[in-house]
Amino acid sequence: MSVQFAFAGTDAAAFLKKSVGTKAIGMGGAFISVADDTSAIYWNPAGLSKISDFYSVYAMGSTGASDKYPGLKDVVPSHQFFAVSVPAKKFTEYLGDTVLGFGYISSTMSNIQHTYRTGESSIYRGTMSHTDNAYYLSAGLPLWQNDDNALYLGASLKYITYSFSAIGVSDSGLDIDGGAIYTIGTLSLGLVFQKGVKMGEDYAPMTTKMGVSNMFDLGKKFQVLGAADIIQRQDEPLVMNLGAELGVTDVVELGSFGLNGIYLRLGVSEYAIENRYGIASDYNETASCNFGLGFEFNITDYYFQLDIAVCSGNIFEETTKFALDFYF
């Protein structure tokens, strides 16, 4: 299993620490209490309840290469996300305002160099790929809603796999997330609990995430969203995500076309706020500073959210990510 440790991290499903959803990424991953688009499947399934009036299809892609680092120039990482959400009331009255979500994450590293032996004296060098996949089945529902406050609950069942080509190593396991969002006016509080998957001899840590966010209006067309999350993974120090979004709304309306919003985002992700286990400095060397840009528009009765996020951090996350969220 040493190969898995070398490329996938020291715990199972380490690739799920990579974020999905370019709005969330642009805000540094401070999204536990926000979770207002289809990437809620990943961040906090309770947020699916916020999009109960539309079907949604979400796709995010990113690729990158570490060609400026000696010994890694041929390694090509790729991280993709696809999800759909379906309001249950579109096809049945028995589930109320429940929203169902289905998601898929694929994370690969290609052209990994490895050495292998076919006989006592024959040594060969070749390449292989490492592939991680996660399949999500999610649901979110409002426990109650009124003009002053609301409580949303949600859960995700995850089936996770990994494999190494050329050496025949693979495994799989199940995990579950539970989440809640409580809103009071413009203030939101979020909570997520992740059990942690077991694959072979490896375990992912149990994880608890807590978030708070608030929307501030600046005149009729300007608004600022601020958010902060604290993340506790078992046997790791506390880390914090911080993010903000400046939005300009109701920008242009021309017949059946409307530019409903332009958004600028920034954030800091995975910054250690304590030195438990003496590894805070290692965490903060790869803490990510992210930036994002988003456009929300409609054509007749169809709505689109186009987002871009630029990430720093470790060498395999220095990428630009693009996503399109389509509501109909």
Side-chain angles (χ1 to χ4, degrees), residues 17 23 27 40 43 50 71 99 111 123 144 177 181 186 194-195 212 216 225 234 237 253 303 310:
K17 291 182 180 179
K23 176 177 178 178
M27 294 179 62
W43 292 101
K50 298 182 179 182
V99 177
N111 295 326
I123 297 176
W144 77 73
D177 300 347
I181 297 175
T186 59
Q194 298 174 327
K195 176 182 175 292
V212 59
F216 303 91
L225 173 63
Q234 191 176 27
E253 186 173 350
Y303 296 85
V310 180

Side-chain angles (χ1 to χ4, degrees), residues 31 35-48 51 81 138 156:
F31 213 60
D36 58 356
D37 62 25
T38 318
S39 69
I41 289 171
Y42 170 89
W43 292 101
N44 187 343
L48 286 172
I51 48 177
F81 173 60
S138 307
S156 289

Side-chain angles (χ1 to χ4, degrees), residues 18-218:
K18 297 180 182 180
S19 301
V20 302
T22 43
K23 176 177 178 178
I25 293 171
M27 294 179 62
F31 213 60
I32 297 302
S33 63
V34 180
D36 58 356
D37 62 25
T38 318
S39 69
I41 289 171
Y42 170 89
W43 292 101
N44 187 343
L48 286 172
S49 307
K50 298 182 179 182
I51 48 177
S52 61
D53 293 328
F54 299 93
Y55 295 102
S56 172
V57 178
Y58 190 104
M60 185 201 84
S62 65
T63 57
S66 50
D67 55 359
K68 62 181 179 180
Y69 295 91
L72 298 174
K73 64 179 182 178
D74 296 322
V75 176
V76 180
S78 175
H79 194 61
Q80 321 293 339
F81 173 60
F82 178 81
V84 298
S85 66
V86 180
K89 65 185 179 183
K90 296 286 188 180
F91 58 87
T92 180
E93 61 183 20
Y94 296 108
L95 296 177
D97 288 327
T98 299
V99 177
L100 304 176
F102 309 89
Y104 170 67
I105 299 174
S106 175
S107 184
T108 64
M109 297 182 98
S110 302
N111 295 326
I112 301 171
Q113 301 294 317
H114 78 114
T115 301
Y116 59 98
R117 183 188 298 271
T118 59
E120 292 186 0
S121 59
S122 300
I123 297 176
Y124 297 88
R125 295 186 183 277
T127 62
M128 65 178 177
S129 62
H130 173 212
T131 302
D132 293 295
N133 295 307
Y135 305 85
Y136 283 72
L137 173 61
S138 307
L141 73 158
L143 196 61
W144 77 73
Q145 287 178 295
N146 57 47
D147 293 337
D148 298 321
N149 56 67
L151 177 62
Y152 307 98
L153 301 178
S156 289
L157 179 66
K158 300 181 289 188
Y159 177 64
I160 301 167
T161 69
Y162 76 83
S163 65
F164 287 90
S165 68
I167 61 174
V169 175
S170 64
D171 215 327
S172 62
L174 290 173
D175 196 7
I176 188 168
D177 300 347
I181 297 175
Y182 181 60
T183 63
I184 312 170
T186 59
L187 178 69
S188 292
L189 306 172
L191 175 67
V192 168
F193 173 78
Q194 298 174 327
K195 176 182 175 292
V197 67
K198 179 180 184 297
M199 293 193 291
E201 299 298 320
D202 302 323
Y203 293 82
M206 288 191 298
T207 303
T208 302
K209 302 180 181 182
M210 296 169 285
V212 59
S213 59
N214 195 66
M215 181 72 75
F216 303 91
D217 289 326
L218 303 177

Side-chain angles (χ1 to χ4, degrees), residues 202-282:
D202 302 323
Y203 293 82
M206 288 191 298
T207 303
T208 302
K209 302 180 181 182
M210 296 169 285
V212 59
S213 59
N214 195 66
M215 181 72 75
F216 303 91
D217 289 326
L218 303 177
K220 293 182 178 181
K221 290 193 174 185
F222 292 88
Q223 58 188 27
V224 173
L225 173 63
D229 291 352
I230 292 178
I231 302 168
Q232 175 63 75
R233 300 185 182 98
Q234 191 176 27
D235 299 327
E236 297 183 22
L238 280 173
V239 297
M240 174 175 279
N241 297 340
L242 293 172
E245 175 188 78
L246 171 64
V248 184
T249 60
D250 301 324
V251 180
V252 174
E253 186 173 350
L254 297 172
S256 60
F257 173 83
L259 180 56
N260 304 322
I262 301 175
Y263 302 92
L264 297 174
R265 305 177 182 112
L266 58 87
V268 177
S269 178
E270 294 284 323
Y271 186 85
I273 58 176
E274 63 170 1
N275 197 32
R276 192 175 359 173
Y277 312 111
I279 56 175
S281 60
D282 295 330

